[in-house]
Amino acid sequence: LSYGNRLILDNINFKISDGEIFGMLGPNGVGKSTIFNLLVGLISPDSGVIKINGTAVNQFPVYLRTKKFKTSYCPQYGGFFNDLTLIDNLRAVSEIVIDKKNYRTERINYLISRFELDNLKEIKAKYLSGGQKRKLVLALALLSDPKVLLLDEPTASLDPETGDFIRSFLEDYQSENRTSILLASHNMTEVERLCSSVLM
């Protein structure tokens, strides 16, 4: 993949097995976020094939990769509506990713409980702390009960307690649901703890 005359990614090839946490380890600027943008369909590769469950998805738009292949993306920055409350963020996204109306509230309540967000439901997202925002974005990414979860630096810039909470949550959630996770990080200790395979 190139931007103008600048080569960003060249000859990248990796496979994530079912139920695996696969790590991408490297400093800022090496192209980890670009790989995520390629996988979700925000940008297209100059060459090569992106496959999900054996199906080439290069021509599939973002929403089809989300709905048809049960993929979900948790970005490092943003990912929520600033002026909506925490609960309204979850309600708004649930209407897009959960078809069964009666399941939306059940799923929202489950994630609020898992992320210990009960006392923050009526607070606008822009007023949440950094750690609370990260929990919200993770909850939003998990609303659809994805089979493939893309996590871009999920614990970056967090206090140690919140970072460890999220790492423990990911271990438990992946074990319970056999979700395939692609985790980008520049934290060697985190990658060693969570990932069975690593791209460096």
Side-chain angles (χ1 to χ4, degrees):
L1 179 74
S2 300
Y3 291 126
N5 295 322
R6 185 185 176 200
L7 182 65
I8 306 298
L9 297 172
D10 184 30
N11 195 29
I12 300 295
N13 184 24
F14 63 91
K15 179 181 179 180
I16 305 172
S17 301
D18 287 343
E20 176 184 24
I21 301 182
F22 185 97
M24 287 194 298
L25 180 67
N28 293 333
V30 298
K32 299 189 299 295
S33 295
T34 302
I35 290 175
F36 282 125
N37 289 334
L38 286 166
L39 293 175
V40 299
L42 293 173
I43 56 177
S44 298
D46 298 332
S47 61
V49 179
I50 298 168
K51 291 184 177 181
I52 303 177
N53 289 339
T55 301
V57 298
N58 291 48
Q59 303 305 314
F60 283 69
V62 175
Y63 78 94
L64 270 184
R65 297 190 199 192
T66 299
K67 296 284 279 187
K68 184 177 176 66
F69 297 100
K70 299 278 285 180
T71 63
S72 192
Y73 177 41
C74 180
Q76 182 178 359
Y77 304 108
F80 54 85
F81 300 103
N82 272 297
D83 284 319
L84 291 184
T85 63
L86 185 146
I87 188 71
D88 283 341
N89 264 277
L90 290 163
R91 286 170 178 159
V93 174
S94 74
E95 291 179 7
I96 299 169
V97 300
I98 300 176
D99 292 328
K100 297 179 180 178
K101 291 182 179 180
N102 59 343
Y103 180 58
R104 292 173 189 163
T105 300
E106 178 184 334
R107 186 67 178 167
I108 288 169
N109 289 339
Y110 163 76
L111 290 167
I112 284 176
S113 177
R114 283 296 296 265
F115 283 108
E116 301 176 358
L117 297 169
D118 299 79
N119 62 336
L120 302 171
K121 291 189 290 189
E122 302 302 330
I123 296 178
K124 286 189 176 182
K126 62 184 176 184
Y127 297 127
L128 298 174
S129 71
Q132 292 163 351
K133 288 175 181 176
R134 195 64 54 84
K135 288 180 178 181
L136 169 59
V137 175
L138 263 172
L140 291 169
L142 293 172
L143 273 170
S144 61
D145 192 17
K147 298 301 181 187
V148 180
L149 179 62
L150 310 175
L151 300 176
D152 193 359
E153 303 277 6
T155 63
S157 302
L158 297 182
D159 64 89
E161 183 178 353
T162 304
D164 199 56
F165 174 93
I166 288 176
R167 283 185 282 271
S168 295
F169 171 85
L170 292 174
E171 286 177 316
D172 293 342
Y173 187 88
Q174 188 269 345
S175 177
E176 293 165 7
N177 297 276
R178 300 298 299 161
T179 306
S180 299
I181 298 175
L182 177 60
L183 169 73
S185 178
H186 59 267
N187 185 327
M188 175 69 81
T189 303
E190 178 169 276
V191 169
E192 287 180 342
R193 171 177 168 177
L194 295 176
C195 303
S196 54
S197 303
V198 181
L199 174 69
M200 301 178 69

PDB file of all heavy atoms in Angstrom, residues 27-63:
ATOM      1  N   PRO A  27       6.358  -0.003  17.206  1.00  0.00           N
ATOM      2  CA  PRO A  27       6.201   1.392  17.630  1.00  0.00           C
ATOM      3  C   PRO A  27       5.179   2.131  16.772  1.00  0.00           C
ATOM      4  O   PRO A  27       4.753   1.634  15.711  1.00  0.00           O
ATOM      5  CB  PRO A  27       7.602   1.978  17.445  1.00  0.00           C
ATOM      6  CG  PRO A  27       8.200   1.146  16.348  1.00  0.00           C
ATOM      7  CD  PRO A  27       7.656  -0.240  16.546  1.00  0.00           C
ATOM      8  N   ASN A  28       4.785   3.307  17.216  1.00  0.00           N
ATOM      9  CA  ASN A  28       3.867   4.131  16.442  1.00  0.00           C
ATOM     10  C   ASN A  28       4.476   4.458  15.082  1.00  0.00           C
ATOM     11  O   ASN A  28       5.679   4.710  14.972  1.00  0.00           O
ATOM     12  CB  ASN A  28       3.557   5.430  17.193  1.00  0.00           C
ATOM     13  CG  ASN A  28       2.770   5.187  18.466  1.00  0.00           C
ATOM     14  OD1 ASN A  28       2.036   4.206  18.567  1.00  0.00           O
ATOM     15  ND2 ASN A  28       2.930   6.057  19.444  1.00  0.00           N
ATOM     16  N   GLY A  29       3.634   4.435  14.055  1.00  0.00           N
ATOM     17  CA  GLY A  29       4.088   4.838  12.734  1.00  0.00           C
ATOM     18  C   GLY A  29       4.530   3.721  11.820  1.00  0.00           C
ATOM     19  O   GLY A  29       4.929   3.984  10.675  1.00  0.00           O
ATOM     20  N   VAL A  30       4.460   2.454  12.274  1.00  0.00           N
ATOM     21  CA  VAL A  30       4.927   1.366  11.408  1.00  0.00           C
ATOM     22  C   VAL A  30       3.814   0.781  10.531  1.00  0.00           C
ATOM     23  O   VAL A  30       4.076  -0.078   9.693  1.00  0.00           O
ATOM     24  CB  VAL A  30       5.579   0.225  12.232  1.00  0.00           C
ATOM     25  CG1 VAL A  30       6.799   0.725  12.960  1.00  0.00           C
ATOM     26  CG2 VAL A  30       4.576  -0.397  13.199  1.00  0.00           C
ATOM     27  N   GLY A  31       2.566   1.239  10.724  1.00  0.00           N
ATOM     28  CA  GLY A  31       1.496   0.795   9.834  1.00  0.00           C
ATOM     29  C   GLY A  31       0.438  -0.077  10.475  1.00  0.00           C
ATOM     30  O   GLY A  31      -0.434  -0.616   9.778  1.00  0.00           O
ATOM     31  N   LYS A  32       0.445  -0.209  11.800  1.00  0.00           N
ATOM     32  CA  LYS A  32      -0.552  -1.070  12.460  1.00  0.00           C
ATOM     33  C   LYS A  32      -1.973  -0.566  12.219  1.00  0.00           C
ATOM     34  O   LYS A  32      -2.870  -1.341  11.868  1.00  0.00           O
ATOM     35  CB  LYS A  32      -0.274  -1.156  13.966  1.00  0.00           C
ATOM     36  CG  LYS A  32       1.087  -1.742  14.337  1.00  0.00           C
ATOM     37  CD  LYS A  32       1.226  -2.020  15.828  1.00  0.00           C
ATOM     38  CE  LYS A  32       1.097  -0.775  16.690  1.00  0.00           C
ATOM     39  NZ  LYS A  32       2.175   0.207  16.477  1.00  0.00           N
ATOM     40  N   SER A  33      -2.188   0.726  12.398  1.00  0.00           N
ATOM     41  CA  SER A  33      -3.532   1.282  12.188  1.00  0.00           C
ATOM     42  C   SER A  33      -3.946   1.196  10.725  1.00  0.00           C
ATOM     43  O   SER A  33      -5.127   1.007  10.412  1.00  0.00           O
ATOM     44  CB  SER A  33      -3.582   2.738  12.665  1.00  0.00           C
ATOM     45  OG  SER A  33      -3.392   2.819  14.066  1.00  0.00           O
ATOM     46  N   THR A  34      -2.985   1.288   9.817  1.00  0.00           N
ATOM     47  CA  THR A  34      -3.283   1.140   8.386  1.00  0.00           C
ATOM     48  C   THR A  34      -3.782  -0.260   8.083  1.00  0.00           C
ATOM     49  O   THR A  34      -4.718  -0.446   7.288  1.00  0.00           O
ATOM     50  CB  THR A  34      -2.036   1.453   7.542  1.00  0.00           C
ATOM     51  OG1 THR A  34      -1.593   2.786   7.821  1.00  0.00           O
ATOM     52  CG2 THR A  34      -2.335   1.328   6.051  1.00  0.00           C
ATOM     53  N   ILE A  35      -3.190  -1.265   8.728  1.00  0.00           N
ATOM     54  CA  ILE A  35      -3.665  -2.646   8.547  1.00  0.00           C
ATOM     55  C   ILE A  35      -5.114  -2.773   9.003  1.00  0.00           C
ATOM     56  O   ILE A  35      -5.948  -3.399   8.334  1.00  0.00           O
ATOM     57  CB  ILE A  35      -2.749  -3.632   9.299  1.00  0.00           C
ATOM     58  CG1 ILE A  35      -1.385  -3.708   8.608  1.00  0.00           C
ATOM     59  CG2 ILE A  35      -3.393  -5.021   9.392  1.00  0.00           C
ATOM     60  CD1 ILE A  35      -0.358  -4.549   9.336  1.00  0.00           C
ATOM     61  N   PHE A  36      -5.458  -2.157  10.127  1.00  0.00           N
ATOM     62  CA  PHE A  36      -6.847  -2.179  10.584  1.00  0.00           C
ATOM     63  C   PHE A  36      -7.769  -1.528   9.557  1.00  0.00           C
ATOM     64  O   PHE A  36      -8.858  -2.040   9.260  1.00  0.00           O
ATOM     65  CB  PHE A  36      -6.981  -1.452  11.922  1.00  0.00           C
ATOM     66  CG  PHE A  36      -6.525  -2.253  13.097  1.00  0.00           C
ATOM     67  CD1 PHE A  36      -5.566  -1.769  13.960  1.00  0.00           C
ATOM     68  CD2 PHE A  36      -7.067  -3.501  13.361  1.00  0.00           C
ATOM     69  CE1 PHE A  36      -5.141  -2.496  15.060  1.00  0.00           C
ATOM     70  CE2 PHE A  36      -6.653  -4.246  14.457  1.00  0.00           C
ATOM     71  CZ  PHE A  36      -5.683  -3.742  15.304  1.00  0.00           C
ATOM     72  N   ASN A  37      -7.366  -0.392   9.013  1.00  0.00           N
ATOM     73  CA  ASN A  37      -8.192   0.303   8.030  1.00  0.00           C
ATOM     74  C   ASN A  37      -8.400  -0.543   6.773  1.00  0.00           C
ATOM     75  O   ASN A  37      -9.473  -0.504   6.152  1.00  0.00           O
ATOM     76  CB  ASN A  37      -7.565   1.644   7.664  1.00  0.00           C
ATOM     77  CG  ASN A  37      -7.645   2.663   8.778  1.00  0.00           C
ATOM     78  OD1 ASN A  37      -8.533   2.595   9.623  1.00  0.00           O
ATOM     79  ND2 ASN A  37      -6.731   3.614   8.806  1.00  0.00           N
ATOM     80  N   LEU A  38      -7.389  -1.324   6.410  1.00  0.00           N
ATOM     81  CA  LEU A  38      -7.536  -2.248   5.282  1.00  0.00           C
ATOM     82  C   LEU A  38      -8.519  -3.365   5.620  1.00  0.00           C
ATOM     83  O   LEU A  38      -9.381  -3.717   4.807  1.00  0.00           O
ATOM     84  CB  LEU A  38      -6.179  -2.866   4.934  1.00  0.00           C
ATOM     85  CG  LEU A  38      -5.167  -1.968   4.220  1.00  0.00           C
ATOM     86  CD1 LEU A  38      -3.778  -2.596   4.260  1.00  0.00           C
ATOM     87  CD2 LEU A  38      -5.591  -1.720   2.770  1.00  0.00           C
ATOM     88  N   LEU A  39      -8.415  -3.918   6.818  1.00  0.00           N
ATOM     89  CA  LEU A  39      -9.253  -5.051   7.195  1.00  0.00           C
ATOM     90  C   LEU A  39     -10.724  -4.665   7.298  1.00  0.00           C
ATOM     91  O   LEU A  39     -11.601  -5.445   6.916  1.00  0.00           O
ATOM     92  CB  LEU A  39      -8.773  -5.640   8.521  1.00  0.00           C
ATOM     93  CG  LEU A  39      -7.388  -6.308   8.498  1.00  0.00           C
ATOM     94  CD1 LEU A  39      -6.981  -6.729   9.907  1.00  0.00           C
ATOM     95  CD2 LEU A  39      -7.391  -7.510   7.568  1.00  0.00           C
ATOM     96  N   VAL A  40     -11.003  -3.462   7.828  1.00  0.00           N
ATOM     97  CA  VAL A  40     -12.411  -3.080   7.970  1.00  0.00           C
ATOM     98  C   VAL A  40     -12.991  -2.504   6.687  1.00  0.00           C
ATOM     99  O   VAL A  40     -14.203  -2.365   6.565  1.00  0.00           O
ATOM    100  CB  VAL A  40     -12.610  -2.079   9.133  1.00  0.00           C
ATOM    101  CG1 VAL A  40     -12.183  -2.697  10.445  1.00  0.00           C
ATOM    102  CG2 VAL A  40     -11.887  -0.767   8.891  1.00  0.00           C
ATOM    103  N   GLY A  41     -12.124  -2.155   5.726  1.00  0.00           N
ATOM    104  CA  GLY A  41     -12.615  -1.658   4.445  1.00  0.00           C
ATOM    105  C   GLY A  41     -12.629  -0.157   4.297  1.00  0.00           C
ATOM    106  O   GLY A  41     -13.228   0.370   3.363  1.00  0.00           O
ATOM    107  N   LEU A  42     -11.957   0.555   5.205  1.00  0.00           N
ATOM    108  CA  LEU A  42     -11.900   2.021   5.092  1.00  0.00           C
ATOM    109  C   LEU A  42     -10.974   2.452   3.964  1.00  0.00           C
ATOM    110  O   LEU A  42     -11.155   3.524   3.385  1.00  0.00           O
ATOM    111  CB  LEU A  42     -11.438   2.634   6.421  1.00  0.00           C
ATOM    112  CG  LEU A  42     -12.408   2.487   7.588  1.00  0.00           C
ATOM    113  CD1 LEU A  42     -11.769   2.986   8.880  1.00  0.00           C
ATOM    114  CD2 LEU A  42     -13.695   3.260   7.309  1.00  0.00           C
ATOM    115  N   ILE A  43      -9.964   1.626   3.668  1.00  0.00           N
ATOM    116  CA  ILE A  43      -9.088   1.851   2.523  1.00  0.00           C
ATOM    117  C   ILE A  43      -8.911   0.532   1.794  1.00  0.00           C
ATOM    118  O   ILE A  43      -9.177  -0.540   2.360  1.00  0.00           O
ATOM    119  CB  ILE A  43      -7.718   2.439   2.927  1.00  0.00           C
ATOM    120  CG1 ILE A  43      -7.014   1.542   3.947  1.00  0.00           C
ATOM    121  CG2 ILE A  43      -7.861   3.847   3.469  1.00  0.00           C
ATOM    122  CD1 ILE A  43      -5.633   2.021   4.336  1.00  0.00           C
ATOM    123  N   SER A  44      -8.449   0.596   0.547  1.00  0.00           N
ATOM    124  CA  SER A  44      -8.268  -0.610  -0.259  1.00  0.00           C
ATOM    125  C   SER A  44      -6.788  -0.826  -0.546  1.00  0.00           C
ATOM    126  O   SER A  44      -6.053   0.139  -0.788  1.00  0.00           O
ATOM    127  CB  SER A  44      -9.034  -0.495  -1.581  1.00  0.00           C
ATOM    128  OG  SER A  44     -10.419  -0.360  -1.353  1.00  0.00           O
ATOM    129  N   PRO A  45      -6.343  -2.082  -0.570  1.00  0.00           N
ATOM    130  CA  PRO A  45      -4.934  -2.348  -0.874  1.00  0.00           C
ATOM    131  C   PRO A  45      -4.637  -2.121  -2.353  1.00  0.00           C
ATOM    132  O   PRO A  45      -5.528  -2.252  -3.202  1.00  0.00           O
ATOM    133  CB  PRO A  45      -4.771  -3.814  -0.498  1.00  0.00           C
ATOM    134  CG  PRO A  45      -6.133  -4.408  -0.687  1.00  0.00           C
ATOM    135  CD  PRO A  45      -7.103  -3.316  -0.305  1.00  0.00           C
ATOM    136  N   ASP A  46      -3.382  -1.790  -2.657  1.00  0.00           N
ATOM    137  CA  ASP A  46      -2.971  -1.657  -4.056  1.00  0.00           C
ATOM    138  C   ASP A  46      -2.944  -3.013  -4.739  1.00  0.00           C
ATOM    139  O   ASP A  46      -3.178  -3.122  -5.945  1.00  0.00           O
ATOM    140  CB  ASP A  46      -1.574  -1.012  -4.141  1.00  0.00           C
ATOM    141  CG  ASP A  46      -1.550   0.391  -3.571  1.00  0.00           C
ATOM    142  OD1 ASP A  46      -2.600   1.062  -3.608  1.00  0.00           O
ATOM    143  OD2 ASP A  46      -0.483   0.827  -3.088  1.00  0.00           O
ATOM    144  N   SER A  47      -2.641  -4.062  -3.968  1.00  0.00           N
ATOM    145  CA  SER A  47      -2.603  -5.423  -4.497  1.00  0.00           C
ATOM    146  C   SER A  47      -2.804  -6.387  -3.339  1.00  0.00           C
ATOM    147  O   SER A  47      -2.788  -5.996  -2.170  1.00  0.00           O
ATOM    148  CB  SER A  47      -1.257  -5.703  -5.187  1.00  0.00           C
ATOM    149  OG  SER A  47      -0.188  -5.573  -4.261  1.00  0.00           O
ATOM    150  N   GLY A  48      -3.017  -7.645  -3.678  1.00  0.00           N
ATOM    151  CA  GLY A  48      -3.208  -8.651  -2.645  1.00  0.00           C
ATOM    152  C   GLY A  48      -4.669  -8.874  -2.297  1.00  0.00           C
ATOM    153  O   GLY A  48      -5.564  -8.192  -2.810  1.00  0.00           O
ATOM    154  N   VAL A  49      -4.914  -9.849  -1.424  1.00  0.00           N
ATOM    155  CA  VAL A  49      -6.265 -10.266  -1.078  1.00  0.00           C
ATOM    156  C   VAL A  49      -6.433 -10.291   0.437  1.00  0.00           C
ATOM    157  O   VAL A  49      -5.552 -10.758   1.163  1.00  0.00           O
ATOM    158  CB  VAL A  49      -6.582 -11.670  -1.643  1.00  0.00           C
ATOM    159  CG1 VAL A  49      -7.990 -12.103  -1.249  1.00  0.00           C
ATOM    160  CG2 VAL A  49      -6.419 -11.693  -3.151  1.00  0.00           C
ATOM    161  N   ILE A  50      -7.554  -9.779   0.908  1.00  0.00           N
ATOM    162  CA  ILE A  50      -7.937  -9.870   2.310  1.00  0.00           C
ATOM    163  C   ILE A  50      -9.060 -10.900   2.399  1.00  0.00           C
ATOM    164  O   ILE A  50     -10.088 -10.756   1.729  1.00  0.00           O
ATOM    165  CB  ILE A  50      -8.421  -8.516   2.852  1.00  0.00           C
ATOM    166  CG1 ILE A  50      -7.293  -7.477   2.768  1.00  0.00           C
ATOM    167  CG2 ILE A  50      -8.911  -8.657   4.295  1.00  0.00           C
ATOM    168  CD1 ILE A  50      -7.761  -6.060   3.019  1.00  0.00           C
ATOM    169  N   LYS A  51      -8.862 -11.926   3.213  1.00  0.00           N
ATOM    170  CA  LYS A  51      -9.862 -12.980   3.332  1.00  0.00           C
ATOM    171  C   LYS A  51     -10.373 -13.076   4.767  1.00  0.00           C
ATOM    172  O   LYS A  51      -9.596 -12.963   5.711  1.00  0.00           O
ATOM    173  CB  LYS A  51      -9.286 -14.335   2.914  1.00  0.00           C
ATOM    174  CG  LYS A  51      -8.983 -14.459   1.429  1.00  0.00           C
ATOM    175  CD  LYS A  51      -8.520 -15.873   1.088  1.00  0.00           C
ATOM    176  CE  LYS A  51      -8.285 -16.023  -0.404  1.00  0.00           C
ATOM    177  NZ  LYS A  51      -7.846 -17.410  -0.741  1.00  0.00           N
ATOM    178  N   ILE A  52     -11.681 -13.292   4.896  1.00  0.00           N
ATOM    179  CA  ILE A  52     -12.300 -13.587   6.186  1.00  0.00           C
ATOM    180  C   ILE A  52     -13.080 -14.882   6.026  1.00  0.00           C
ATOM    181  O   ILE A  52     -13.932 -14.999   5.143  1.00  0.00           O
ATOM    182  CB  ILE A  52     -13.239 -12.456   6.644  1.00  0.00           C
ATOM    183  CG1 ILE A  52     -12.491 -11.123   6.718  1.00  0.00           C
ATOM    184  CG2 ILE A  52     -13.846 -12.798   8.005  1.00  0.00           C
ATOM    185  CD1 ILE A  52     -13.367  -9.941   7.085  1.00  0.00           C
ATOM    186  N   ASN A  53     -12.749 -15.860   6.844  1.00  0.00           N
ATOM    187  CA  ASN A  53     -13.360 -17.197   6.734  1.00  0.00           C
ATOM    188  C   ASN A  53     -13.229 -17.766   5.326  1.00  0.00           C
ATOM    189  O   ASN A  53     -14.155 -18.398   4.814  1.00  0.00           O
ATOM    190  CB  ASN A  53     -14.837 -17.158   7.145  1.00  0.00           C
ATOM    191  CG  ASN A  53     -15.016 -16.962   8.634  1.00  0.00           C
ATOM    192  OD1 ASN A  53     -14.108 -17.227   9.421  1.00  0.00           O
ATOM    193  ND2 ASN A  53     -16.179 -16.483   9.036  1.00  0.00           N
ATOM    194  N   GLY A  54     -12.084 -17.503   4.707  1.00  0.00           N
ATOM    195  CA  GLY A  54     -11.809 -18.056   3.384  1.00  0.00           C
ATOM    196  C   GLY A  54     -12.400 -17.289   2.220  1.00  0.00           C
ATOM    197  O   GLY A  54     -12.167 -17.642   1.064  1.00  0.00           O
ATOM    198  N   THR A  55     -13.164 -16.247   2.492  1.00  0.00           N
ATOM    199  CA  THR A  55     -13.795 -15.452   1.436  1.00  0.00           C
ATOM    200  C   THR A  55     -13.040 -14.144   1.214  1.00  0.00           C
ATOM    201  O   THR A  55     -12.771 -13.420   2.176  1.00  0.00           O
ATOM    202  CB  THR A  55     -15.259 -15.126   1.799  1.00  0.00           C
ATOM    203  OG1 THR A  55     -15.987 -16.342   1.977  1.00  0.00           O
ATOM    204  CG2 THR A  55     -15.926 -14.305   0.703  1.00  0.00           C
ATOM    205  N   ALA A  56     -12.696 -13.861  -0.027  1.00  0.00           N
ATOM    206  CA  ALA A  56     -12.046 -12.593  -0.352  1.00  0.00           C
ATOM    207  C   ALA A  56     -13.038 -11.455  -0.150  1.00  0.00           C
ATOM    208  O   ALA A  56     -14.154 -11.488  -0.682  1.00  0.00           O
ATOM    209  CB  ALA A  56     -11.544 -12.604  -1.791  1.00  0.00           C
ATOM    210  N   VAL A  57     -12.646 -10.440   0.618  1.00  0.00           N
ATOM    211  CA  VAL A  57     -13.578  -9.375   0.987  1.00  0.00           C
ATOM    212  C   VAL A  57     -13.144  -8.006   0.452  1.00  0.00           C
ATOM    213  O   VAL A  57     -13.712  -6.986   0.841  1.00  0.00           O
ATOM    214  CB  VAL A  57     -13.767  -9.292   2.522  1.00  0.00           C
ATOM    215  CG1 VAL A  57     -14.352 -10.585   3.059  1.00  0.00           C
ATOM    216  CG2 VAL A  57     -12.458  -8.951   3.223  1.00  0.00           C
ATOM    217  N   ASN A  58     -12.164  -7.986  -0.443  1.00  0.00           N
ATOM    218  CA  ASN A  58     -11.659  -6.699  -0.948  1.00  0.00           C
ATOM    219  C   ASN A  58     -12.767  -5.799  -1.474  1.00  0.00           C
ATOM    220  O   ASN A  58     -12.709  -4.576  -1.312  1.00  0.00           O
ATOM    221  CB  ASN A  58     -10.635  -6.929  -2.057  1.00  0.00           C
ATOM    222  CG  ASN A  58      -9.345  -7.545  -1.549  1.00  0.00           C
ATOM    223  OD1 ASN A  58      -9.379  -8.517  -0.802  1.00  0.00           O
ATOM    224  ND2 ASN A  58      -8.210  -6.992  -1.944  1.00  0.00           N
ATOM    225  N   GLN A  59     -13.789  -6.388  -2.086  1.00  0.00           N
ATOM    226  CA  GLN A  59     -14.858  -5.600  -2.696  1.00  0.00           C
ATOM    227  C   GLN A  59     -16.045  -5.386  -1.761  1.00  0.00           C
ATOM    228  O   GLN A  59     -17.019  -4.735  -2.130  1.00  0.00           O
ATOM    229  CB  GLN A  59     -15.338  -6.288  -3.993  1.00  0.00           C
ATOM    230  CG  GLN A  59     -14.241  -6.526  -5.018  1.00  0.00           C
ATOM    231  CD  GLN A  59     -13.494  -5.258  -5.376  1.00  0.00           C
ATOM    232  OE1 GLN A  59     -14.114  -4.212  -5.615  1.00  0.00           O
ATOM    233  NE2 GLN A  59     -12.169  -5.324  -5.410  1.00  0.00           N
ATOM    234  N   PHE A  60     -15.964  -5.906  -0.546  1.00  0.00           N
ATOM    235  CA  PHE A  60     -17.068  -5.758   0.387  1.00  0.00           C
ATOM    236  C   PHE A  60     -16.938  -4.435   1.136  1.00  0.00           C
ATOM    237  O   PHE A  60     -15.885  -4.138   1.696  1.00  0.00           O
ATOM    238  CB  PHE A  60     -17.081  -6.895   1.417  1.00  0.00           C
ATOM    239  CG  PHE A  60     -17.617  -8.198   0.892  1.00  0.00           C
ATOM    240  CD1 PHE A  60     -16.899  -8.927  -0.045  1.00  0.00           C
ATOM    241  CD2 PHE A  60     -18.816  -8.707   1.334  1.00  0.00           C
ATOM    242  CE1 PHE A  60     -17.370 -10.131  -0.519  1.00  0.00           C
ATOM    243  CE2 PHE A  60     -19.303  -9.907   0.868  1.00  0.00           C
ATOM    244  CZ  PHE A  60     -18.580 -10.625  -0.072  1.00  0.00           C
ATOM    245  N   PRO A  61     -18.005  -3.632   1.191  1.00  0.00           N
ATOM    246  CA  PRO A  61     -17.957  -2.383   1.963  1.00  0.00           C
ATOM    247  C   PRO A  61     -17.926  -2.654   3.463  1.00  0.00           C
ATOM    248  O   PRO A  61     -18.153  -3.787   3.912  1.00  0.00           O
ATOM    249  CB  PRO A  61     -19.250  -1.669   1.558  1.00  0.00           C
ATOM    250  CG  PRO A  61     -20.176  -2.771   1.150  1.00  0.00           C
ATOM    251  CD  PRO A  61     -19.313  -3.824   0.533  1.00  0.00           C
ATOM    252  N   VAL A  62     -17.680  -1.604   4.228  1.00  0.00           N
ATOM    253  CA  VAL A  62     -17.513  -1.728   5.674  1.00  0.00           C
ATOM    254  C   VAL A  62     -18.692  -2.447   6.323  1.00  0.00           C
ATOM    255  O   VAL A  62     -18.509  -3.374   7.114  1.00  0.00           O
ATOM    256  CB  VAL A  62     -17.315  -0.334   6.314  1.00  0.00           C
ATOM    257  CG1 VAL A  62     -17.276  -0.450   7.830  1.00  0.00           C
ATOM    258  CG2 VAL A  62     -16.042   0.326   5.812  1.00  0.00           C
ATOM    259  N   TYR A  63     -19.924  -2.016   5.999  1.00  0.00           N
ATOM    260  CA  TYR A  63     -21.084  -2.568   6.713  1.00  0.00           C
ATOM    261  C   TYR A  63     -21.270  -4.048   6.438  1.00  0.00           C
ATOM    262  O   TYR A  63     -21.712  -4.806   7.316  1.00  0.00           O
ATOM    263  CB  TYR A  63     -22.352  -1.778   6.378  1.00  0.00           C
ATOM    264  CG  TYR A  63     -22.976  -2.099   5.040  1.00  0.00           C
ATOM    265  CD1 TYR A  63     -23.991  -3.048   4.924  1.00  0.00           C
ATOM    266  CD2 TYR A  63     -22.556  -1.457   3.880  1.00  0.00           C
ATOM    267  CE1 TYR A  63     -24.563  -3.349   3.705  1.00  0.00           C
ATOM    268  CE2 TYR A  63     -23.125  -1.740   2.652  1.00  0.00           C
ATOM    269  CZ  TYR A  63     -24.121  -2.690   2.565  1.00  0.00           C
ATOM    270  OH  TYR A  63     -24.680  -2.974   1.353  1.00  0.00           O
TER     271      TYR A  63
END
